[in-house]
Amino acid sequence: MTDTSSMIDWDLAVRLGSRLAGDGPEVSALAAADAVEELRAGANRSTGLVREFTGLSAAERTAPVLVIDRPGWIQANADSFNTILTPIVDKLSDKKGTPGPVGRAVGSRITGAEVGLVLGFLGGKVLGQFDPFFEPNGRLLLVAPNIVHVEQELDVDPTDFRLWVCLHEETHRVQFTAVPWMRDHLQSMMTSLSESIDTGKALEEGAKRIGKSLRGEGGSLLDMVSTPEQREVIDRVTGVMSLLEGHADVVMDGVGPEVIPSVNKIRRKFNERRKGVGGLDRILRRLLGLDAKMAQYRDGAEFVRAVIDKVDMEGFNAVWESPENLPDKAEIADPSTWVARVHG
């Protein structure tokens, strides 16, 4: 396997990303310690709440809960990207050969800077994340400065908001630990996508279309480089991610009223915040595919609710029985077709 550090300067990416993301809001040491303790407790409490609501059984504490700062999130994702990108880097190396030491050093720093810009932008916004590819059972990351920043910005009850975030992220942990084949299935789709990349054509098409995206005429970076064959795989990935994100949103809204007194206020203000982005922020969101991410929350939640309405929660949970039962992108848009296919 090729060492991706030969093509991407990960140390530079982490340093630049951390500098761009900044430290977050200034709080006292006591307030910071309270936030960390409350987030850990919220994650642990959420396990039983998610299990009771969904019927999915996942052993407690099978994946570590890490309450981290922005640089910690950036480092964790650089490590994950390093692992995930290895097949693509291998393919690039096979096609282009190994560059000389000067070319390798210059290229790795340029790419490292590009990755650092992306990580820096996201590092100031992500509230939490379940990393399913961390061995052996994944890990749950909660970014304390971002959670504190958003709860202050929305002027909502901190205790309620922290548990609300934990419910969403803990649902992802349960999805992957209660459905043990899910991680390998996602990994196989990523591998299939990387193996189908025509690097020369992807770079050529990307160069032609990136200007259109900046002008609001194109899609995300992923849209720019996808061939019809890759689009088929991307559509399957989109179906799975819409399911996972929508399911987590349904859980947090279903459990919330029972344990979070101000959940309706939090949801209303949080949805308003998702819309209120400025010009540069909007361009970056489009390029990084975050607009599509927001659509995944909405479309996936509508799918989950529609299926539960038709066949109740037990019938919906057939989705976790095998990869064949996962909805594709078209079924996410038309839940009745999934119900007909799986429940006949």
Side-chain angles (χ1 to χ4, degrees):
M1 286 257 176
T2 305
D3 179 4
T4 60
S5 62
S6 65
M7 297 191 72
I8 302 173
D9 187 333
W10 292 105
D11 290 338
L12 174 62
V14 170
R15 289 198 306 273
L16 178 59
S18 299
R19 190 159 61 246
L20 289 172
D23 295 327
E26 291 188 9
V27 297
S28 68
L30 179 60
D34 286 345
V36 170
E37 183 179 352
E38 198 159 36
L39 287 168
R40 288 187 184 280
N44 291 331
R45 182 185 178 191
S46 295
T47 304
L49 296 171
V50 172
R51 180 172 58 239
E52 182 178 350
F53 183 81
T54 65
L56 293 176
S57 181
E60 297 187 20
R61 298 180 177 85
T62 52
V65 176
L66 304 180
V67 182
I68 55 178
D69 57 11
R70 290 174 176 177
W73 182 88
I74 289 168
Q75 182 67 64
N77 277 267
D79 293 342
S80 294
F81 288 163
N82 193 359
T83 300
I84 293 170
L85 290 176
T86 294
I88 299 176
V89 171
D90 287 341
K91 190 175 182 67
L92 281 167
S93 298
D94 290 342
K95 279 184 170 291
K96 294 186 174 183
T98 303
V102 175
R104 186 164 59 244
V106 172
S108 69
R109 289 185 66 80
I110 292 173
T111 310
E114 292 169 343
V115 173
L117 288 171
V118 173
L119 290 174
F121 175 76
L122 295 176
K125 298 183 179 298
V126 173
L127 303 183
Q129 171 191 2
F130 183 74
D131 176 7
F133 302 113
F134 183 77
E135 296 293 346
N137 298 307
R139 57 183 172 179
L140 180 60
L141 308 175
L142 297 169
V143 190
N146 294 350
I147 294 171
V148 171
H149 171 74
V150 173
E151 69 193 26
Q152 291 177 349
E153 185 181 75
L154 299 183
D155 189 25
V156 293
D157 182 85
T159 297
D160 284 2
F161 185 73
R162 292 165 191 176
L163 180 57
W164 192 69
V165 172
C166 287
L167 280 170
H168 184 99
E169 302 308 331
E170 176 62 18
T171 300
H172 288 319
R173 189 194 76 83
V174 170
Q175 289 164 346
F176 281 93
T177 53
V179 186
W181 51 262
M182 184 64 75
R183 179 170 74 163
D184 289 342
H185 181 65
L186 267 182
Q187 184 71 67
S188 70
M189 286 192 289
M190 291 180 180
T191 300
S192 175
L193 184 61
S194 67
E195 289 176 347
S196 71
I197 290 177
D198 181 338
T199 52
K201 184 176 180 181
L203 293 173
E204 180 182 351
E205 291 299 314
K208 289 178 181 178
R209 297 174 62 183
I210 192 167
K212 289 185 177 181
S213 182
L214 288 171
R215 294 191 298 272
E217 302 170 11
S220 69
L221 291 175
L222 190 60
D223 294 326
M224 294 178 206
V225 301
S226 58
T227 64
E229 294 77 15
Q230 293 159 17
R231 173 52 55 192
E232 182 180 346
V233 179
I234 291 169
D235 282 350
R236 294 204 305 271
V237 173
T238 299
V240 174
M241 297 309 297
S242 296
L243 169 72
L244 298 178
E245 296 294 358
H247 182 241
D249 254 20
V250 169
V251 171
M252 69 196 302
D253 287 345
V255 174
E258 301 295 326
V259 295
I260 302 174
S262 61
V263 65
N264 291 333
K265 176 183 177 182
I266 290 173
R267 170 56 79 185
R268 175 174 52 79
K269 288 199 167 189
F270 195 76
N271 286 346
E272 289 172 359
R273 179 180 179 273
R274 282 177 175 173
K275 301 174 186 175
V277 293
L280 177 60
D281 195 71
R282 193 178 299 278
I283 289 172
L284 289 170
R285 283 174 178 271
R286 184 185 304 119
L287 282 172
L288 298 176
L290 297 184
D291 287 343
K293 177 80 167 176
M294 295 302 101
Q296 286 177 1
Y297 286 110
R298 182 191 65 242
D299 298 342
E302 289 176 358
F303 169 84
V304 173
R305 291 189 177 100
V307 172
I308 291 173
D309 284 345
K310 287 180 178 294
V311 293
D312 67 37
M313 183 65 77
E314 184 177 355
F316 166 79
N317 281 344
V319 78
W320 312 116
E321 291 177 2
S322 71
E324 290 73 26
N325 282 7
L326 291 172
D328 59 22
K329 186 178 179 182
E331 288 175 329
I332 289 288
D334 186 1
S336 62
T337 58
W338 180 87
V339 173
R341 178 172 67 86
V342 174
H343 290 282

